[in-house]
Amino acid sequence: MGINLMVLVPLVGIFAVFYYYITKANKYFHDKPIPSMAAEPLFGSTRRLLMKQTSFHEFIISIYNKYPLVKVFGMIDTMTPVFVVRDPELIKRIGVKDFDHFVNHRPVFGDSEDPDSTSLFGKTLIGLNDQRWRDMRATLSPAFTGSKMRHMFELIVECSTNMAKFYKSELGKKGAVPQEYEMKDVFTRYANDVIATCAFGIKVDSLNDADNDFYTNGKKLMAFNRASVMLRMVGFRVMPKLMSRLNVDLFDSDDKHFFTEIIRDTVRTRNAQGIVRPDIINLLTQARKGALKHQKENNEREEVKGFATVEESEVGRAPNSKGMHMTELEMVAQCFIFFLAGFDTVSTCLTFLTHELTVNRDVQDKLYEEILETNKSLGGAHLTYDAVQGMRYMDMVISEALRMWAPGPALDRLCVRDYVVDDGERLKFTIDKGTVVFIPVAGIHHDPQYYPNPSKFDPERFNEENREKIVPNTYLPFGIGPRNCIGSRFALMEVKAIIYYMLLEFSFERTPNTQVPLRMGNGFPGMRTEKGVFVEFRPRK
């Protein structure tokens, strides 16, 4: 009996300490004058999401709708207190006006503060913090201006025309037999080829060479549902400091090694042979030397920007004449994050966009008419940067797709010093240092207060007249403030180019496997559908 007690007492003590550790944040909001979601040990308020009973997209919409009359409410994300901000004016204050209080993202996958850390994600523009982030943003920002995108557009057009030719040839071999394709697979291959040529400086053909190394390594990298990756993600949420001390990275060393060697070889070859190519590696090389400067956009005419394009803030435009000391690992990390964004985010946008064009035939037909007019104005020549920027209806369609299916259903910011919220009426409380703010993008985009009949795909919301009526800070597909997406121009021109060339050659048709309405796949992370998005490419006569 004594021996059993000697074993039992320490076990009870360990369990008590562990229980306190995983529940200590659950009462955080009890003394705040805002409502908060119920919390339970370890899961916090996110059991449905973590147990794969709902999708991230639907989870964000459901919690947003839970408190329709409040400006902000609380929830516990596993063990972290999170303020969910619903009010557009408060979103602007947090994301823009009082940005210095919320300068960082929530630390998720590695410690960006440790210079000796080999964590790749922690050294990306998304993972960096404070002054290091400011320096990197100012260094990279000139690489993503309209003038730089103009030079890179030819590479994107080459990938787009290759894809259209491939499916035209494939369907020619099959005669009149209808052929359906799964859109996520189709556009992941396209996005893979674009990011390979534009970011890594190599040419791959993921349609004719379906199992090329670049594509297979990319698929492996993005397989976040693997057990080993899921365990690491949980570890970073529950024991972030320990995971950082152990130098654990989200990505496998083999995956990192593959992409690192590509970049090293490319830079080595270019330096030795004096090769200059209009791609990200070239721009990063210039940035390391301080040779990139912000320039005024096209002096002869003001550039036409897509509605969803975000503007660079003063942080990104800050002079960085000497260039920051960017280590080789940091340079690799920036290419790495461009790859992740290009491989998944762009392909996700295209997947949902193609579905909406397929089930909304009137929209597809109207867009096709604009594409025909543009093609005629070009005399059948290749699409140009200026021509695609001038396609108004194309921009309306893509803007609406990004509203309905924002690739990032929520934004996060970490509070780096205490911040007092005071609306001058009845609401006054403090967002404490170390807590997190969520901006529920999917919820806002589906709020009928801002977008009537939000489940209807209606590009006319973004015509010249209606776009002026959109409430500021309620359209956030690329984020808000200085921490917005640096690559919005790149992503939009990539999406527009492939839709132009595919609709020029094919109509998008329903098949028996086209799911209407779409149902989302449960779990986190990513925007996935339950059964895939199936569409027939029917050649135009």
Side-chain angles (χ1 to χ4, degrees), residues 76-116:
I76 305 296
D77 185 8
T78 55
M79 298 187 302
T80 303
V82 174
F83 292 85
V84 185
V85 181
R86 301 177 81 262
D87 177 59
E89 186 55 38
L90 184 53
I91 288 171
K92 180 180 179 181
R93 284 168 54 191
I94 287 170
V96 183
K97 293 172 66 177
D98 298 322
F99 172 72
D100 286 347
H101 286 77
F102 302 93
V103 68
N104 298 331
H105 282 304
R106 175 186 185 180
V108 182
F109 305 130
D111 184 5
S112 65
E113 302 303 312
D114 182 1
D116 298 321

Side-chain angles (χ1 to χ4, degrees), residues 419-457:
Y419 181 75
V420 176
V421 174
D422 185 353
D423 67 356
E425 298 173 4
R426 293 176 297 176
L427 190 64
K428 186 174 183 179
F429 64 93
T430 299
I431 298 178
D432 299 301
K433 177 182 178 181
T435 57
V436 172
V437 168
F438 265 10
I439 299 172
V441 176
I444 295 168
H445 284 190
H446 286 261
D447 188 338
Q449 177 183 354
Y450 308 122
Y451 300 98
N453 196 6
S455 60
K456 177 178 170 58
F457 186 78

Side-chain angles (χ1 to χ4, degrees), residues 361-480:
R361 190 54 188 258
D362 57 331
V363 175
Q364 181 184 160
D365 290 344
K366 187 172 180 179
L367 179 56
Y368 175 60
E369 289 300 319
E370 184 182 57
I371 288 171
L372 279 182
E373 290 176 12
T374 303
N375 187 56
K376 184 178 179 181
S377 71
L378 293 168
H382 281 321
L383 185 63
T384 65
Y385 183 80
D386 288 327
V388 78
Q389 295 297 87
M391 296 178 69
R392 301 288 184 170
Y393 194 67
M394 172 79 83
D395 191 65
M396 289 161 56
V397 169
I398 292 170
S399 297
E400 174 67 345
L402 288 169
R403 179 198 68 82
M404 280 193 71
W405 306 105
L411 309 173
D412 70 79
R413 295 291 186 272
L414 179 71
C415 183
V416 296
R417 63 178 191 265
D418 289 356
Y419 181 75
V420 176
V421 174
D422 185 353
D423 67 356
E425 298 173 4
R426 293 176 297 176
L427 190 64
K428 186 174 183 179
F429 64 93
T430 299
I431 298 178
D432 299 301
K433 177 182 178 181
T435 57
V436 172
V437 168
F438 265 10
I439 299 172
V441 176
I444 295 168
H445 284 190
H446 286 261
D447 188 338
Q449 177 183 354
Y450 308 122
Y451 300 98
N453 196 6
S455 60
K456 177 178 170 58
F457 186 78
D458 182 11
E460 295 302 326
R461 301 179 201 275
F462 298 93
N463 65 29
E464 291 291 334
E465 179 183 355
N466 290 334
R467 67 172 59 186
E468 300 299 324
K469 302 173 186 175
I470 294 174
V471 176
N473 313 305
T474 63
Y475 185 70
L476 305 166
F478 290 110
I480 186 172

Side-chain angles (χ1 to χ4, degrees), residues 199-261:
F200 290 79
I202 62 173
K203 286 191 177 183
V204 296
D205 186 346
S206 301
L207 294 167
N208 286 298
D209 182 10
D211 297 320
N212 66 79
D213 288 345
F214 200 91
Y215 181 75
T216 54
N217 277 276
K219 287 283 285 183
K220 183 182 173 187
L221 195 69
M222 294 304 299
F224 288 119
N225 57 350
R226 286 180 293 164
S228 60
V229 177
M230 291 298 291
L231 282 173
R232 274 175 270 178
M233 290 175 73
V234 171
F236 279 118
R237 281 178 173 241
V238 178
M239 302 172 290
K241 292 183 179 178
L242 177 62
M243 297 289 281
S244 293
R245 276 201 201 98
L246 295 174
N247 216 6
V248 177
D249 198 1
L250 178 66
F251 306 109
D252 293 337
S253 58
D254 289 347
D255 298 333
K256 292 194 295 185
H257 179 75
F258 175 80
F259 291 105
T260 301
E261 286 307 305

